[in-house]
C-alpha cells in the first residue's frame, strides 16, 4: 500500500512539496516553519496552512513553479485497482473441511512403550484352580493332624487314667464310647495323606482313592459314636456330681489339655461334615479331565452318605 503524507503550502517559503518531518511533524522539512494552527509566520501572522492528502510518491511529480492556491485543489492521480486473489472453490473447501474433521475424530496413536502380553484367560483360571486345590489339600492334612492329636489327648489324659482309677465313678468308659476305634481309623487316614503329600504333584497325585479305601471303616465307627453321644454326655453329667471325679477333670483341663472334656468329645461329631466341605471344594477346583476327578466324586458321595447316617443317628439319640 502507498504511504499517505500531508502536503501543506507553506506561507513563509511557499514550498508546496511537504514531507512529514520525523523529528517535528508540525514543521516543514524544507524551511522548518511551524505549520501548526497556533503558530505564526515570519511576518507575525498566524500560519495558514492548507492540508491535503496525497500519496507520497505523487507529490514529488508536482511542478515546483506552481504557486497559486488553485493548485491545491487539483485532483489526486488515480491508481489502478488491485486485483483480488481468487477464492478457492467451495467444493474443495468442503472436501478439505470434511477430511480435516474426519482426521480429527481419529484417535491419536499411543506413544511407544513397553508392551505386556497378557496370558490367556484359561491359563489364569487353571493356575488359580491349581493353587486353590493345593491349598485345600494342605488344609485337609493340617486339620487331620490336629484332629488326631486331640483324639489322642482325650484318650491319654482322660480315658486311660479313669480306666485305671475311676475316681468314684461307675463305668467311666461309657463317656468315651468307641473313641479308640475312631483314633485307629484316623491314624490310618492321616498316614495315607502324609504319604501322598510327601510326593505331591497337582497333576497326578490322587486324594479321592484314600477316602474310598478308608470310607467303609469311617461309617460304622462314626455312626456308633454318634448314636451313643447323647448317652455319653448324660453319663458325664452324673459322674461330675462326684467331687473326686470332678476335681480330676478340672485339674487335667487346667494343667494339661486347656480344653474341656466336652470340647474334645464333640470333635468326632464335627469331623465328617468337615470332610464333606473340603471334598466339595476340592471337586470344584479340580479339572474335569484330572486323574483324581472320578475318585473324588465317588468319595464325596460316600462322605455325604456317612453324614446323612450320622444326622439320623443324632435325631434318634435325641428322641430316646
Amino acid at each position: 500500500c502507498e504511504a499517505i503524507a500531508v502536503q501543506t503550502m507553506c506561507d513563509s517559503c511557499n514550498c508546496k512539496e511537504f514531507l512529514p518531518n520525523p523529528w517535528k511533524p508540525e514543521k516543514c522539512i524544507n524551511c522548518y516553519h511551524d505549520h501548526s494552527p497556533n503558530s505564526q509566520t515570519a511576518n507575525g501572522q498566524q500560519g495558514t496552512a492548507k492540508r491535503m492528502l496525497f500519496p507520497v510518491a505523487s507529490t514529488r511529480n508536482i511542478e515546483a513553479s506552481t504557486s497559486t492556491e488553485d493548485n491545491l485543489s487539483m485532483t489526486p492521480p488515480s491508481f489502478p485497482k488491485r486485483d483480488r486473489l481468487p477464492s478457492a472453490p467451495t467444493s474443495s473447501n468442503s472436501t478439505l473441511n470434511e477430511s480435516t474433521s474426519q482426521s480429527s475424530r481419529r484417535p491419536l496413536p499411543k506413544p511407544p512403550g513397553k508392551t505386556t502380553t497378557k496370558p490367556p484367560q484359561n491359563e489364569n483360571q487353571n493356575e488359580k484352580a491349581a493353587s486353590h486345590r493345593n491349598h485345600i489339600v494342605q488344609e485337609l492334612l493340617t486339620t487331620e493332624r490336629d484332629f488326631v492329636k486331640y483324639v489322642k489327648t482325650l484318650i491319654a489324659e482322660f480315658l486311660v487314667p479313669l480306666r485305671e482309677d475311676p475316681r468314684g465313678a461307675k463305668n467311666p468308659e461309657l463317656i468315651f464310647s468307641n473313641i479308640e476305634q475312631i483314633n485307629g481309623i484316623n491314624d490310618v487316614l492321616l498316614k495315607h495323606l502324609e504319604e501322598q503329600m510327601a510326593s505331591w504333584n497337582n497333576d497326578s497325585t490322587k486324594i479321592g482313592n484314600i477316602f474310598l479305601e478308608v470310607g467303609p471303616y469311617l461309617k460304622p465307627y462314626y455312626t456308633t459314636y454318634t448314636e451313643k453321644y447323647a448317652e455319653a454326655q448324660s453319663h458325664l453329667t452324673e459322674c461330675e456330681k462326684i467331687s473326686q471325679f470332678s476335681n480330676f477333670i478340672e485339674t487335667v483341663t487346667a494343667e494339661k489339655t486347656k480344653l474341656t472334656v466336652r470340647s474334645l468329645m464333640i470333635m468326632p461329631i464335627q469331623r465328617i461334615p468337615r470332610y464333606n466341605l473340603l471334598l466339595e471344594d476340592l471337586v470344584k477346583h479340580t479339572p474335569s479331565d484330572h486323574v483324581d476327578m472320578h475318585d473324588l466324586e465317588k468319595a464325596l458321595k460316600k462322605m455325604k452318605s456317612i453324614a446323612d447316617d450320622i444326622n439320623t443317628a443324632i435325631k434318634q439319640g435325641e428322641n430316646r
Side-chain angles (χ1 to χ4, degrees):
C1 58
E2 292 80 10
I4 303 300
V6 178
Q7 175 150 347
T8 306
M9 183 175 180
C10 181
D11 293 338
S12 300
C13 62
N14 293 329
C15 59
K16 57 184 176 181
E17 185 175 3
F18 169 68
L19 295 178
N21 189 339
W23 298 278
K24 296 180 179 180
E26 297 294 337
K27 292 182 179 293
C28 177
I29 199 172
N30 293 327
C31 63
Y32 288 94
H33 289 159
D34 193 351
H35 294 161
S36 62
N38 297 325
S39 66
Q40 293 183 351
T41 63
N43 298 328
Q45 299 179 354
Q46 186 176 3
T48 56
K50 296 181 181 180
R51 300 172 180 270
M52 294 182 65
L53 294 178
F54 283 96
V56 174
S58 63
T59 58
R60 298 186 182 275
N61 297 328
I62 303 176
E63 296 181 358
S65 60
T66 305
S67 60
T68 60
E69 190 173 346
D70 294 335
N71 288 333
L72 296 175
S73 62
M74 60 185 300
T75 59
S78 60
F79 294 91
K81 295 183 179 181
R82 294 184 176 183
D83 296 333
R84 295 182 178 179
L85 295 175
S87 59
T90 306
S91 61
S92 63
N93 284 339
S94 61
T95 306
L96 180 60
N97 292 335
E98 291 177 0
S99 62
T100 304
S101 62
Q102 291 177 359
S103 62
S104 63
R105 297 192 194 113
R106 297 174 183 173
L108 295 175
K110 295 182 179 179
K114 294 182 179 181
T115 57
T116 56
T117 56
K118 296 182 178 180
Q121 187 175 4
N122 292 335
E123 293 183 5
N124 287 338
Q125 292 178 351
N126 292 337
E127 290 178 0
K128 290 181 179 179
S131 176
H132 194 78
R133 188 171 186 269
N134 294 340
H135 175 74
I136 297 169
V137 175
Q138 288 290 342
E139 183 178 358
L140 178 61
L141 178 61
T142 302
T143 56
E144 187 65 23
R145 284 172 177 166
D146 293 339
F147 175 72
V148 171
K149 179 184 70 174
Y150 289 130
V151 170
K152 291 183 180 299
T153 299
L154 181 62
I155 295 172
E157 302 299 336
F158 291 101
L159 174 58
V160 173
L162 288 173
R163 182 182 287 166
E164 296 175 355
D165 184 1
R167 272 78 174 179
K170 294 181 179 181
N171 299 324
E173 295 182 1
L174 295 178
I175 300 172
F176 308 100
S177 185
N178 64 330
I179 191 66
E180 292 175 310
Q181 291 179 327
I182 291 177
N183 176 59
I185 191 60
N186 280 92
D187 264 339
V188 176
L189 177 60
L190 177 60
K191 182 180 179 181
H192 288 331
L193 288 174
E194 289 177 338
E195 289 176 354
Q196 292 289 74
M197 292 300 297
S199 58
W200 172 256
N201 186 311
N202 187 64
D203 297 328
S204 59
T205 304
K206 301 176 68 176
I207 299 295
N209 61 329
I210 298 177
F211 284 90
L212 291 178
E213 294 175 4
V214 179
Y217 301 96
L218 292 175
K219 183 175 180 178
Y221 295 159
Y222 277 85
T223 302
T224 301
Y225 186 87
T226 305
E227 291 175 346
K228 295 181 179 181
Y229 180 73
E231 182 181 353
Q233 291 290 315
S234 178
H235 191 63
L236 175 62
T237 303
E238 293 296 326
C239 292
E240 286 177 337
K241 295 178 181 179
I242 304 171
S243 59
Q244 187 179 357
F245 181 91
S246 60
N247 291 336
F248 168 76
I249 297 296
E250 291 174 2
T251 302
V252 173
T253 302
E255 297 180 358
K256 297 182 179 181
T257 64
K258 308 301 180 182
L259 293 173
T260 64
V261 65
R262 282 183 168 83
S263 298
L264 295 171
M265 289 172 61
I266 199 173
M267 288 184 179
I269 305 295
Q270 301 170 337
R271 191 56 186 162
I272 296 298
R274 186 66 178 273
Y275 288 146
N276 286 335
L277 292 176
L278 292 173
L279 289 176
E280 283 180 356
D281 204 8
L282 193 58
V283 170
K284 181 179 178 181
H285 292 86
T286 300
S288 57
D289 57 347
H290 196 277
V291 293
D292 195 26
M293 189 60 174
H294 180 66
D295 289 344
L296 281 176
E297 291 176 339
K298 292 177 64 177
L300 177 59
K301 185 177 180 180
K302 184 68 175 178
M303 289 297 106
K304 286 183 176 181
S305 176
I306 297 174
D308 292 339
D309 293 341
I310 290 175
N311 291 333
T312 303
I314 292 175
K315 292 179 181 179
Q316 291 175 354
E318 291 175 352
N319 294 332
R320 292 177 182 176

